[in-house]
Structures are given as structure tokens and as C-alpha cells.
Amino acid sequence: MPGITREEVAHLAKLARLELKDEELAHFAGQLDDIIGAVAAVSEVADDAAVPPTSHPLPLTNVMRQDEVRPSLTPQQALSGAPAQEQQRFKVPQILGEE
């Protein structure tokens, strides 16, 4: 498979509206060639029918605890140190200018 040329990289850069220097064109040409080679190697896998599609290589499970009612502060206790309160909520200065 032929390698990616500097002209091809320059064309891609123009399409992406990127301004690249001459040394960057050569550098990125090598990198893009390596990437395309890696993709081609993955594409060569012959029998992938036995491999189930996955979103993660390892099985994931969520660890959840039981939702239990526990003793907590009353609204009056929680708001006791608040400089201002309104309707059992902390009252803070308005910042968006909305009503």
C-alpha cells in the first residue's frame, strides 16, 4: 500500500482549513500512514462473527446501595446558619436578571 504523500496531507489540511508548515506536512504524512496501516491491520481480522459487539472490553456493573431513610437535618436546622432564607430555601442574590 503506498504511503500518504505530503500533497495529500496538504490537501486534507486545506479541507480542514489548517495552516501547516512544510516540516509539519512531512511529520503528519508519516503519522497518517501509521494510522492507516493500523486500521488496515484491524480490518484483516478474518473471522469476527464469533466476537460479540461490545461497548467496553470488560463487563461493567453499577454498584448501588439500598435507598434507606436515615436521620438528617430538619429544614430549620439546615437553614439556621443561612444569612437569608425564603420558603425553606437558601436565599441568594439574583444573578441572571430574571423574575
Side-chain angles (χ1 to χ4, degrees), residues 56-76:
H56 197 274
L58 302 173
L60 297 175
T61 55
N62 284 337
V63 179
M64 306 285 243
R65 64 171 174 79
Q66 289 295 328
D67 192 11
E68 301 171 353
V69 177
R70 296 182 182 174
S72 60
L73 298 175
T74 66
Q76 292 79 16

Side-chain angles (χ1 to χ4, degrees), residues 10-89:
H11 179 68
L12 289 172
K14 181 180 176 186
L15 292 174
R17 297 181 178 165
L18 297 173
E19 187 176 325
L20 298 178
K21 299 174 184 169
D22 288 337
E23 60 271 6
E24 291 174 319
L25 291 174
H27 179 71
F28 290 138
Q31 287 185 339
L32 286 172
D33 200 36
D34 291 342
I35 292 169
I36 290 173
V39 170
V42 170
S43 298
E44 292 175 1
V45 174
D47 184 21
D48 63 350
V51 179
T54 60
S55 62
H56 197 274
L58 302 173
L60 297 175
T61 55
N62 284 337
V63 179
M64 306 285 243
R65 64 171 174 79
Q66 289 295 328
D67 192 11
E68 301 171 353
V69 177
R70 296 182 182 174
S72 60
L73 298 175
T74 66
Q76 292 79 16
Q77 291 171 323
L79 294 169
S80 66
Q85 54 180 299
E86 183 177 290
Q87 298 178 353
Q88 291 190 344
R89 298 183 190 131

